[in-house]
Amino acid sequence: YCTDDGGGIYMDGGSTPTITDALIHDNVTDLHAGGVGVYGMSHPVLTRVTIADNDVYDDGGGIEVNGAAITLIDVVVSGNSAGDDGGGIYPYGSDIYMTRVQLLDNWTGEQGAAMYHRSTGSAYLEDVLVQGNESATDCGGLYMEGSYASLEGVVITDNVASSGYGAGLRLSGAAFVEDLVVTGNSGASSGGGIFINTSSATLANVLVADNHA
């Protein structure tokens, strides 16, 4: 239990650790980053890591990245919860690189249950599964509000926005999306599958089916 940021691991000062074959679970903090907090121009690389069942009062139930960057390879982020934004992952003004990542069954009291990429920074997602996440307000799956988002081979399914819009995916910044599947998501307002409010999104080879709003 932690009363500040980073319930499990806290990184700052430009640190660049490599974390492999690790389990980060059941950590709790009163502020930000229940499992992993990354700050101050740091850039860790996590490979074959599971981040599960962490809890935070504010943002970033599993991971928060603020003014930094993170690379995730073969990572599972599951069962984390945040009282505010980003139940699974909350990159704020940060770059994030994700390959073969699963975002499963995360919860948030506000927006972006699986991930809320906010403010500046870029996000690159390849072969990512986003499933079973739930938001109390907007966007149960991915809320992409950063400067740029690239999504390739992403599956977004069975996510819920209990009282808001964009249950599966919300695109609010520049985006390139290819080979996307969005199915079985449910929202209380507009955009059960995808909600787009940007003039600079390109989508190719996309399946959107069986979503509800």
Side-chain angles (χ1 to χ4, degrees):
Y1 175 78
C2 175
T3 58
D4 208 323
D5 298 331
I9 301 175
Y10 180 91
M11 308 176 204
D12 204 345
S15 58
T16 58
T18 297
I19 302 174
T20 304
D21 298 321
L23 173 61
I24 302 165
H25 72 99
D26 292 301
N27 300 285
V28 179
T29 178
D30 284 342
L31 289 180
H32 306 91
V36 177
V38 184
Y39 307 98
M41 301 300 292
S42 298
H43 187 164
V45 178
L46 279 61
T47 304
R48 298 187 301 276
V49 174
T50 296
I51 300 168
D53 302 320
N54 300 285
D55 183 71
V56 65
Y57 179 79
D58 208 323
D59 303 318
I63 302 170
E64 181 184 65
V65 190
N66 192 327
I70 193 169
T71 297
L72 306 175
I73 303 168
D74 296 317
V75 167
V76 177
V77 181
S78 68
N80 303 283
S81 61
D84 205 340
D85 296 321
I89 307 176
Y90 184 70
Y92 185 94
S94 300
D95 295 332
I96 184 166
Y97 307 87
M98 302 167 61
T99 303
R100 297 184 302 277
V101 171
Q102 299 181 56
L103 305 177
L104 311 173
D105 302 317
N106 300 286
W107 181 88
T108 179
E110 291 292 338
Q111 304 175 99
M115 180 167 75
Y116 186 178
H117 187 238
R118 191 171 185 179
S119 187
T120 57
S122 298
Y124 299 88
L125 282 65
E126 183 177 1
D127 298 331
V128 172
L129 173 63
V130 182
Q131 183 172 20
N133 303 280
E134 182 175 354
S135 168
T137 61
D138 300 322
C139 193
L142 301 176
Y143 190 160
M144 310 305 290
E145 191 187 63
S147 299
Y148 178 74
S150 172
L151 281 63
E152 298 188 42
V154 174
V155 176
I156 302 172
T157 184
D158 299 328
N159 301 285
V160 175
S162 297
S163 63
Y165 48 79
L169 171 64
R170 176 173 174 174
L171 297 174
S172 296
F176 175 78
V177 180
E178 186 175 30
D179 298 331
L180 175 72
V181 175
V182 182
T183 62
N185 301 284
S186 179
S189 188
S190 304
I194 305 175
F195 184 98
I196 302 173
N197 61 329
T198 175
S199 61
S200 53
T202 299
L203 287 77
N205 194 24
V206 173
L207 171 65
V208 182
D210 299 321
N211 302 284
H212 303 278

mmCIF file of all heavy atoms in Angstrom, residues 116-162:
data_model
loop_
_atom_site.group_PDB
_atom_site.id
_atom_site.type_symbol
_atom_site.label_atom_id
_atom_site.label_comp_id
_atom_site.label_asym_id
_atom_site.label_seq_id
_atom_site.Cartn_x
_atom_site.Cartn_y
_atom_site.Cartn_z
ATOM 1 N N TYR A 116 -6.480 5.149 -21.574
ATOM 2 C CA TYR A 116 -6.783 6.536 -21.936
ATOM 3 C C TYR A 116 -5.464 7.220 -22.259
ATOM 4 O O TYR A 116 -4.696 7.574 -21.367
ATOM 5 C CB TYR A 116 -7.488 7.230 -20.774
ATOM 6 C CG TYR A 116 -7.995 8.638 -21.052
ATOM 7 C CD1 TYR A 116 -8.686 9.346 -20.073
ATOM 8 C CD2 TYR A 116 -7.800 9.278 -22.280
ATOM 9 C CE1 TYR A 116 -9.164 10.639 -20.301
ATOM 10 C CE2 TYR A 116 -8.268 10.548 -22.522
ATOM 11 C CZ TYR A 116 -8.948 11.228 -21.526
ATOM 12 O OH TYR A 116 -9.422 12.502 -21.761
ATOM 13 N N HIS A 117 -5.187 7.391 -23.556
ATOM 14 C CA HIS A 117 -3.976 8.091 -23.994
ATOM 15 C C HIS A 117 -4.330 9.557 -24.155
ATOM 16 O O HIS A 117 -5.068 9.936 -25.060
ATOM 17 C CB HIS A 117 -3.467 7.505 -25.302
ATOM 18 C CG HIS A 117 -2.142 8.082 -25.707
ATOM 19 N ND1 HIS A 117 -1.951 8.722 -26.906
ATOM 20 C CD2 HIS A 117 -0.943 8.118 -25.067
ATOM 21 C CE1 HIS A 117 -0.688 9.124 -26.994
ATOM 22 N NE2 HIS A 117 -0.071 8.777 -25.897
ATOM 23 N N ARG A 118 -3.766 10.393 -23.280
ATOM 24 C CA ARG A 118 -4.255 11.763 -23.125
ATOM 25 C C ARG A 118 -3.161 12.799 -23.382
ATOM 26 O O ARG A 118 -1.994 12.535 -23.166
ATOM 27 C CB ARG A 118 -4.795 11.939 -21.704
ATOM 28 C CG ARG A 118 -5.569 13.218 -21.475
ATOM 29 C CD ARG A 118 -6.235 13.185 -20.111
ATOM 30 N NE ARG A 118 -7.085 14.341 -19.908
ATOM 31 C CZ ARG A 118 -7.797 14.555 -18.805
ATOM 32 N NH1 ARG A 118 -7.757 13.677 -17.822
ATOM 33 N NH2 ARG A 118 -8.547 15.629 -18.696
ATOM 34 N N SER A 119 -3.604 13.972 -23.858
ATOM 35 C CA SER A 119 -2.727 15.115 -24.089
ATOM 36 C C SER A 119 -1.785 14.823 -25.262
ATOM 37 O O SER A 119 -2.187 14.196 -26.236
ATOM 38 C CB SER A 119 -1.962 15.470 -22.807
ATOM 39 O OG SER A 119 -1.234 16.665 -22.991
ATOM 40 N N THR A 120 -0.531 15.237 -25.190
ATOM 41 C CA THR A 120 0.406 15.036 -26.293
ATOM 42 C C THR A 120 0.998 13.630 -26.227
ATOM 43 O O THR A 120 0.727 12.851 -25.328
ATOM 44 C CB THR A 120 1.527 16.071 -26.226
ATOM 45 O OG1 THR A 120 2.165 15.968 -24.950
ATOM 46 C CG2 THR A 120 0.968 17.474 -26.397
ATOM 47 N N GLY A 121 1.855 13.335 -27.209
ATOM 48 C CA GLY A 121 2.489 12.010 -27.255
ATOM 49 C C GLY A 121 1.836 11.125 -28.294
ATOM 50 O O GLY A 121 0.728 11.374 -28.763
ATOM 51 N N SER A 122 2.542 10.053 -28.642
ATOM 52 C CA SER A 122 2.080 9.130 -29.668
ATOM 53 C C SER A 122 1.905 7.726 -29.093
ATOM 54 O O SER A 122 2.591 7.349 -28.137
ATOM 55 C CB SER A 122 3.081 9.075 -30.828
ATOM 56 O OG SER A 122 3.194 10.349 -31.443
ATOM 57 N N ALA A 123 0.985 6.981 -29.696
ATOM 58 C CA ALA A 123 0.733 5.603 -29.284
ATOM 59 C C ALA A 123 0.813 4.695 -30.507
ATOM 60 O O ALA A 123 0.199 4.987 -31.537
ATOM 61 C CB ALA A 123 -0.636 5.481 -28.629
ATOM 62 N N TYR A 124 1.574 3.600 -30.375
ATOM 63 C CA TYR A 124 1.731 2.631 -31.457
ATOM 64 C C TYR A 124 1.315 1.259 -30.930
ATOM 65 O O TYR A 124 1.983 0.700 -30.061
ATOM 66 C CB TYR A 124 3.173 2.600 -31.943
ATOM 67 C CG TYR A 124 3.646 3.935 -32.502
ATOM 68 C CD1 TYR A 124 4.211 4.892 -31.654
ATOM 69 C CD2 TYR A 124 3.504 4.240 -33.847
ATOM 70 C CE1 TYR A 124 4.619 6.116 -32.142
ATOM 71 C CE2 TYR A 124 3.918 5.472 -34.339
ATOM 72 C CZ TYR A 124 4.482 6.400 -33.496
ATOM 73 O OH TYR A 124 4.886 7.617 -33.980
ATOM 74 N N LEU A 125 0.194 0.733 -31.446
ATOM 75 C CA LEU A 125 -0.351 -0.536 -30.990
ATOM 76 C C LEU A 125 -0.360 -1.527 -32.143
ATOM 77 O O LEU A 125 -0.892 -1.232 -33.223
ATOM 78 C CB LEU A 125 -1.789 -0.371 -30.480
ATOM 79 C CG LEU A 125 -2.006 0.224 -29.080
ATOM 80 C CD1 LEU A 125 -1.533 1.678 -29.021
ATOM 81 C CD2 LEU A 125 -3.463 0.134 -28.679
ATOM 82 N N GLU A 126 0.232 -2.702 -31.905
ATOM 83 C CA GLU A 126 0.256 -3.761 -32.917
ATOM 84 C C GLU A 126 -0.111 -5.082 -32.263
ATOM 85 O O GLU A 126 0.479 -5.474 -31.259
ATOM 86 C CB GLU A 126 1.645 -3.853 -33.556
ATOM 87 C CG GLU A 126 1.739 -4.881 -34.670
ATOM 88 C CD GLU A 126 3.099 -4.916 -35.335
ATOM 89 O OE1 GLU A 126 3.982 -4.151 -34.918
ATOM 90 O OE2 GLU A 126 3.275 -5.716 -36.274
ATOM 91 N N ASP A 127 -1.102 -5.773 -32.848
ATOM 92 C CA ASP A 127 -1.557 -7.068 -32.340
ATOM 93 C C ASP A 127 -1.958 -6.970 -30.870
ATOM 94 O O ASP A 127 -1.397 -7.626 -29.987
ATOM 95 C CB ASP A 127 -0.483 -8.146 -32.524
ATOM 96 C CG ASP A 127 -0.142 -8.392 -33.980
ATOM 97 O OD1 ASP A 127 -1.026 -8.186 -34.833
ATOM 98 O OD2 ASP A 127 1.007 -8.759 -34.269
ATOM 99 N N VAL A 128 -2.941 -6.121 -30.604
ATOM 100 C CA VAL A 128 -3.419 -5.859 -29.243
ATOM 101 C C VAL A 128 -4.866 -6.323 -29.115
ATOM 102 O O VAL A 128 -5.694 -6.072 -29.998
ATOM 103 C CB VAL A 128 -3.298 -4.359 -28.896
ATOM 104 C CG1 VAL A 128 -3.978 -4.042 -27.567
ATOM 105 C CG2 VAL A 128 -1.830 -3.947 -28.852
ATOM 106 N N LEU A 129 -5.173 -7.011 -28.007
ATOM 107 C CA LEU A 129 -6.536 -7.440 -27.684
ATOM 108 C C LEU A 129 -7.064 -6.594 -26.542
ATOM 109 O O LEU A 129 -6.431 -6.504 -25.481
ATOM 110 C CB LEU A 129 -6.555 -8.919 -27.295
ATOM 111 C CG LEU A 129 -7.888 -9.465 -26.773
ATOM 112 C CD1 LEU A 129 -8.980 -9.391 -27.840
ATOM 113 C CD2 LEU A 129 -7.725 -10.899 -26.268
ATOM 114 N N VAL A 130 -8.238 -5.994 -26.759
ATOM 115 C CA VAL A 130 -8.895 -5.158 -25.751
ATOM 116 C C VAL A 130 -10.262 -5.780 -25.476
ATOM 117 O O VAL A 130 -11.173 -5.668 -26.292
ATOM 118 C CB VAL A 130 -9.039 -3.707 -26.244
ATOM 119 C CG1 VAL A 130 -9.685 -2.828 -25.186
ATOM 120 C CG2 VAL A 130 -7.692 -3.148 -26.680
ATOM 121 N N GLN A 131 -10.426 -6.423 -24.332
ATOM 122 C CA GLN A 131 -11.637 -7.230 -24.119
ATOM 123 C C GLN A 131 -12.140 -7.118 -22.674
ATOM 124 O O GLN A 131 -11.370 -7.173 -21.712
ATOM 125 C CB GLN A 131 -11.364 -8.698 -24.431
ATOM 126 C CG GLN A 131 -12.578 -9.601 -24.319
ATOM 127 C CD GLN A 131 -12.296 -11.008 -24.817
ATOM 128 O OE1 GLN A 131 -11.148 -11.440 -24.919
ATOM 129 N NE2 GLN A 131 -13.342 -11.724 -25.154
ATOM 130 N N GLY A 132 -13.459 -6.959 -22.549
ATOM 131 C CA GLY A 132 -14.113 -7.070 -21.254
ATOM 132 C C GLY A 132 -13.855 -5.945 -20.284
ATOM 133 O O GLY A 132 -14.029 -6.103 -19.074
ATOM 134 N N ASN A 133 -13.458 -4.786 -20.784
ATOM 135 C CA ASN A 133 -13.197 -3.641 -19.917
ATOM 136 C C ASN A 133 -14.481 -2.812 -19.745
ATOM 137 O O ASN A 133 -15.329 -2.787 -20.629
ATOM 138 C CB ASN A 133 -12.092 -2.782 -20.515
ATOM 139 C CG ASN A 133 -10.823 -3.574 -20.746
ATOM 140 O OD1 ASN A 133 -10.057 -3.808 -19.828
ATOM 141 N ND2 ASN A 133 -10.600 -4.016 -21.984
ATOM 142 N N GLU A 134 -14.593 -2.109 -18.613
ATOM 143 C CA GLU A 134 -15.822 -1.359 -18.349
ATOM 144 C C GLU A 134 -15.525 0.006 -17.736
ATOM 145 O O GLU A 134 -14.762 0.112 -16.772
ATOM 146 C CB GLU A 134 -16.735 -2.133 -17.410
ATOM 147 C CG GLU A 134 -18.052 -1.424 -17.124
ATOM 148 C CD GLU A 134 -19.016 -2.235 -16.297
ATOM 149 O OE1 GLU A 134 -18.719 -3.417 -16.029
ATOM 150 O OE2 GLU A 134 -20.069 -1.694 -15.918
ATOM 151 N N SER A 135 -16.158 1.019 -18.301
ATOM 152 C CA SER A 135 -16.056 2.382 -17.800
ATOM 153 C C SER A 135 -17.394 2.800 -17.212
ATOM 154 O O SER A 135 -18.451 2.503 -17.780
ATOM 155 C CB SER A 135 -15.676 3.334 -18.931
ATOM 156 O OG SER A 135 -15.837 4.671 -18.533
ATOM 157 N N ALA A 136 -17.360 3.527 -16.104
ATOM 158 C CA ALA A 136 -18.593 4.038 -15.514
ATOM 159 C C ALA A 136 -19.171 5.190 -16.326
ATOM 160 O O ALA A 136 -20.355 5.506 -16.194
ATOM 161 C CB ALA A 136 -18.345 4.475 -14.079
ATOM 162 N N THR A 137 -18.325 5.830 -17.172
ATOM 163 C CA THR A 137 -18.818 6.904 -18.034
ATOM 164 C C THR A 137 -18.493 6.585 -19.495
ATOM 165 O O THR A 137 -19.157 5.779 -20.103
ATOM 166 C CB THR A 137 -18.250 8.269 -17.596
ATOM 167 O OG1 THR A 137 -16.826 8.255 -17.687
ATOM 168 C CG2 THR A 137 -18.666 8.616 -16.176
ATOM 169 N N ASP A 138 -17.455 7.205 -20.060
ATOM 170 C CA ASP A 138 -17.171 7.090 -21.491
ATOM 171 C C ASP A 138 -16.063 6.082 -21.790
ATOM 172 O O ASP A 138 -15.088 5.978 -21.050
ATOM 173 C CB ASP A 138 -16.735 8.454 -22.051
ATOM 174 C CG ASP A 138 -17.796 9.516 -21.864
ATOM 175 O OD1 ASP A 138 -18.985 9.197 -22.011
ATOM 176 O OD2 ASP A 138 -17.423 10.661 -21.564
ATOM 177 N N CYS A 139 -16.202 5.381 -22.891
ATOM 178 C CA CYS A 139 -15.154 4.583 -23.517
ATOM 179 C C CYS A 139 -14.643 3.446 -22.621
ATOM 180 O O CYS A 139 -13.690 3.604 -21.864
ATOM 181 C CB CYS A 139 -13.996 5.459 -23.959
ATOM 182 S SG CYS A 139 -12.868 4.583 -25.066
ATOM 183 N N GLY A 140 -15.269 2.309 -22.769
ATOM 184 C CA GLY A 140 -14.812 1.128 -22.046
ATOM 185 C C GLY A 140 -13.513 0.559 -22.580
ATOM 186 O O GLY A 140 -12.766 -0.070 -21.840
ATOM 187 N N GLY A 141 -13.227 0.781 -23.867
ATOM 188 C CA GLY A 141 -12.020 0.222 -24.480
ATOM 189 C C GLY A 141 -10.882 1.219 -24.535
ATOM 190 O O GLY A 141 -10.290 1.558 -23.510
ATOM 191 N N LEU A 142 -10.557 1.714 -25.740
ATOM 192 C CA LEU A 142 -9.423 2.621 -25.955
ATOM 193 C C LEU A 142 -9.911 4.038 -26.212
ATOM 194 O O LEU A 142 -10.700 4.281 -27.134
ATOM 195 C CB LEU A 142 -8.596 2.168 -27.160
ATOM 196 C CG LEU A 142 -7.991 0.765 -27.112
ATOM 197 C CD1 LEU A 142 -7.291 0.463 -28.437
ATOM 198 C CD2 LEU A 142 -7.042 0.612 -25.943
ATOM 199 N N TYR A 143 -9.409 4.985 -25.416
ATOM 200 C CA TYR A 143 -9.688 6.397 -25.623
ATOM 201 C C TYR A 143 -8.381 7.031 -26.082
ATOM 202 O O TYR A 143 -7.452 7.225 -25.303
ATOM 203 C CB TYR A 143 -10.161 7.018 -24.318
ATOM 204 C CG TYR A 143 -10.728 8.426 -24.416
ATOM 205 C CD1 TYR A 143 -11.550 8.924 -23.414
ATOM 206 C CD2 TYR A 143 -10.445 9.276 -25.488
ATOM 207 C CE1 TYR A 143 -12.082 10.208 -23.475
ATOM 208 C CE2 TYR A 143 -10.966 10.552 -25.562
ATOM 209 C CZ TYR A 143 -11.785 11.015 -24.542
ATOM 210 O OH TYR A 143 -12.303 12.285 -24.614
ATOM 211 N N MET A 144 -8.301 7.353 -27.387
ATOM 212 C CA MET A 144 -7.065 7.837 -27.986
ATOM 213 C C MET A 144 -7.188 9.339 -28.257
ATOM 214 O O MET A 144 -7.796 9.766 -29.235
ATOM 215 C CB MET A 144 -6.765 7.071 -29.280
ATOM 216 C CG MET A 144 -6.844 5.552 -29.150
ATOM 217 S SD MET A 144 -5.807 4.870 -27.842
ATOM 218 C CE MET A 144 -4.183 5.141 -28.519
ATOM 219 N N GLU A 145 -6.602 10.131 -27.354
ATOM 220 C CA GLU A 145 -6.708 11.581 -27.409
ATOM 221 C C GLU A 145 -5.336 12.238 -27.592
ATOM 222 O O GLU A 145 -5.208 13.456 -27.568
ATOM 223 C CB GLU A 145 -7.344 12.078 -26.101
ATOM 224 C CG GLU A 145 -7.772 13.534 -26.107
ATOM 225 C CD GLU A 145 -8.237 13.986 -24.738
ATOM 226 O OE1 GLU A 145 -7.416 13.971 -23.787
ATOM 227 O OE2 GLU A 145 -9.413 14.332 -24.613
ATOM 228 N N GLY A 146 -4.290 11.448 -27.739
ATOM 229 C CA GLY A 146 -2.947 11.987 -27.886
ATOM 230 C C GLY A 146 -2.712 12.608 -29.249
ATOM 231 O O GLY A 146 -3.611 12.701 -30.086
ATOM 232 N N SER A 147 -1.466 13.020 -29.486
ATOM 233 C CA SER A 147 -1.132 13.693 -30.740
ATOM 234 C C SER A 147 -1.307 12.778 -31.946
ATOM 235 O O SER A 147 -1.714 13.224 -33.025
ATOM 236 C CB SER A 147 0.312 14.190 -30.678
ATOM 237 O OG SER A 147 0.493 15.104 -29.629
ATOM 238 N N TYR A 148 -0.994 11.478 -31.764
ATOM 239 C CA TYR A 148 -1.066 10.545 -32.887
ATOM 240 C C TYR A 148 -1.241 9.129 -32.354
ATOM 241 O O TYR A 148 -0.637 8.759 -31.337
ATOM 242 C CB TYR A 148 0.214 10.610 -33.726
ATOM 243 C CG TYR A 148 0.236 9.628 -34.873
ATOM 244 C CD1 TYR A 148 -0.529 9.844 -36.010
ATOM 245 C CD2 TYR A 148 0.996 8.464 -34.795
ATOM 246 C CE1 TYR A 148 -0.532 8.937 -37.059
ATOM 247 C CE2 TYR A 148 1.004 7.554 -35.838
ATOM 248 C CZ TYR A 148 0.240 7.789 -36.966
ATOM 249 O OH TYR A 148 0.240 6.882 -37.982
ATOM 250 N N ALA A 149 -2.062 8.347 -33.050
ATOM 251 C CA ALA A 149 -2.256 6.945 -32.697
ATOM 252 C C ALA A 149 -2.162 6.088 -33.947
ATOM 253 O O ALA A 149 -2.770 6.396 -34.980
ATOM 254 C CB ALA A 149 -3.602 6.735 -32.020
ATOM 255 N N SER A 150 -1.406 4.997 -33.861
ATOM 256 C CA SER A 150 -1.327 3.995 -34.916
ATOM 257 C C SER A 150 -1.812 2.670 -34.341
ATOM 258 O O SER A 150 -1.229 2.163 -33.381
ATOM 259 C CB SER A 150 0.108 3.858 -35.432
ATOM 260 O OG SER A 150 0.212 2.756 -36.328
ATOM 261 N N LEU A 151 -2.886 2.132 -34.915
ATOM 262 C CA LEU A 151 -3.459 0.861 -34.465
ATOM 263 C C LEU A 151 -3.441 -0.116 -35.628
ATOM 264 O O LEU A 151 -4.077 0.133 -36.668
ATOM 265 C CB LEU A 151 -4.897 1.043 -33.981
ATOM 266 C CG LEU A 151 -5.144 1.612 -32.575
ATOM 267 C CD1 LEU A 151 -4.612 3.032 -32.456
ATOM 268 C CD2 LEU A 151 -6.629 1.578 -32.251
ATOM 269 N N GLU A 152 -2.722 -1.215 -35.483
ATOM 270 C CA GLU A 152 -2.651 -2.235 -36.525
ATOM 271 C C GLU A 152 -2.889 -3.610 -35.910
ATOM 272 O O GLU A 152 -2.221 -3.991 -34.944
ATOM 273 C CB GLU A 152 -1.292 -2.195 -37.219
ATOM 274 C CG GLU A 152 -1.007 -0.876 -37.921
ATOM 275 C CD GLU A 152 0.262 -0.913 -38.766
ATOM 276 O OE1 GLU A 152 0.476 -1.932 -39.462
ATOM 277 O OE2 GLU A 152 1.034 0.053 -38.724
ATOM 278 N N GLY A 153 -3.859 -4.333 -36.449
ATOM 279 C CA GLY A 153 -4.156 -5.660 -35.946
ATOM 280 C C GLY A 153 -4.730 -5.649 -34.538
ATOM 281 O O GLY A 153 -4.414 -6.523 -33.725
ATOM 282 N N VAL A 154 -5.587 -4.672 -34.237
ATOM 283 C CA VAL A 154 -6.171 -4.529 -32.906
ATOM 284 C C VAL A 154 -7.591 -5.099 -32.911
ATOM 285 O O VAL A 154 -8.374 -4.849 -33.835
ATOM 286 C CB VAL A 154 -6.185 -3.050 -32.464
ATOM 287 C CG1 VAL A 154 -6.930 -2.874 -31.146
ATOM 288 C CG2 VAL A 154 -4.749 -2.530 -32.343
ATOM 289 N N VAL A 155 -7.922 -5.871 -31.867
ATOM 290 C CA VAL A 155 -9.271 -6.415 -31.677
ATOM 291 C C VAL A 155 -9.860 -5.795 -30.415
ATOM 292 O O VAL A 155 -9.263 -5.875 -29.340
ATOM 293 C CB VAL A 155 -9.252 -7.945 -31.551
ATOM 294 C CG1 VAL A 155 -10.649 -8.487 -31.246
ATOM 295 C CG2 VAL A 155 -8.702 -8.580 -32.823
ATOM 296 N N ILE A 156 -11.038 -5.185 -30.551
ATOM 297 C CA ILE A 156 -11.714 -4.518 -29.436
ATOM 298 C C ILE A 156 -13.091 -5.146 -29.294
ATOM 299 O O ILE A 156 -13.968 -4.949 -30.145
ATOM 300 C CB ILE A 156 -11.820 -3.004 -29.690
ATOM 301 C CG1 ILE A 156 -10.422 -2.401 -29.904
ATOM 302 C CG2 ILE A 156 -12.542 -2.310 -28.547
ATOM 303 C CD1 ILE A 156 -10.449 -0.953 -30.345
ATOM 304 N N THR A 157 -13.315 -5.890 -28.211
ATOM 305 C CA THR A 157 -14.545 -6.663 -28.107
ATOM 306 C C THR A 157 -15.078 -6.713 -26.679
ATOM 307 O O THR A 157 -14.311 -6.756 -25.715
ATOM 308 C CB THR A 157 -14.319 -8.096 -28.639
ATOM 309 O OG1 THR A 157 -15.549 -8.815 -28.628
ATOM 310 C CG2 THR A 157 -13.285 -8.849 -27.835
ATOM 311 N N ASP A 158 -16.408 -6.678 -26.567
ATOM 312 C CA ASP A 158 -17.120 -6.896 -25.297
ATOM 313 C C ASP A 158 -16.745 -5.884 -24.220
ATOM 314 O O ASP A 158 -16.664 -6.218 -23.038
ATOM 315 C CB ASP A 158 -16.867 -8.321 -24.784
ATOM 316 C CG ASP A 158 -17.352 -9.383 -25.757
ATOM 317 O OD1 ASP A 158 -18.339 -9.125 -26.456
ATOM 318 O OD2 ASP A 158 -16.719 -10.451 -25.827
ATOM 319 N N ASN A 159 -16.531 -4.645 -24.613
ATOM 320 C CA ASN A 159 -16.275 -3.576 -23.652
ATOM 321 C C ASN A 159 -17.552 -2.770 -23.419
ATOM 322 O O ASN A 159 -18.444 -2.737 -24.270
ATOM 323 C CB ASN A 159 -15.154 -2.672 -24.169
ATOM 324 C CG ASN A 159 -13.875 -3.442 -24.407
ATOM 325 O OD1 ASN A 159 -13.171 -3.804 -23.476
ATOM 326 N ND2 ASN A 159 -13.569 -3.730 -25.672
ATOM 327 N N VAL A 160 -17.632 -2.085 -22.273
ATOM 328 C CA VAL A 160 -18.858 -1.389 -21.880
ATOM 329 C C VAL A 160 -18.542 0.038 -21.439
ATOM 330 O O VAL A 160 -17.606 0.254 -20.652
ATOM 331 C CB VAL A 160 -19.576 -2.129 -20.729
ATOM 332 C CG1 VAL A 160 -20.786 -1.350 -20.242
ATOM 333 C CG2 VAL A 160 -19.986 -3.533 -21.159
ATOM 334 N N ALA A 161 -19.326 0.990 -21.949
ATOM 335 C CA ALA A 161 -19.345 2.359 -21.428
ATOM 336 C C ALA A 161 -20.703 2.546 -20.762
ATOM 337 O O ALA A 161 -21.716 2.753 -21.435
ATOM 338 C CB ALA A 161 -19.125 3.371 -22.541
ATOM 339 N N SER A 162 -20.749 2.462 -19.442
ATOM 340 C CA SER A 162 -22.027 2.317 -18.732
ATOM 341 C C SER A 162 -22.938 3.527 -18.869
ATOM 342 O O SER A 162 -24.169 3.374 -18.871
ATOM 343 C CB SER A 162 -21.761 2.054 -17.246
ATOM 344 O OG SER A 162 -21.073 0.832 -17.077
#
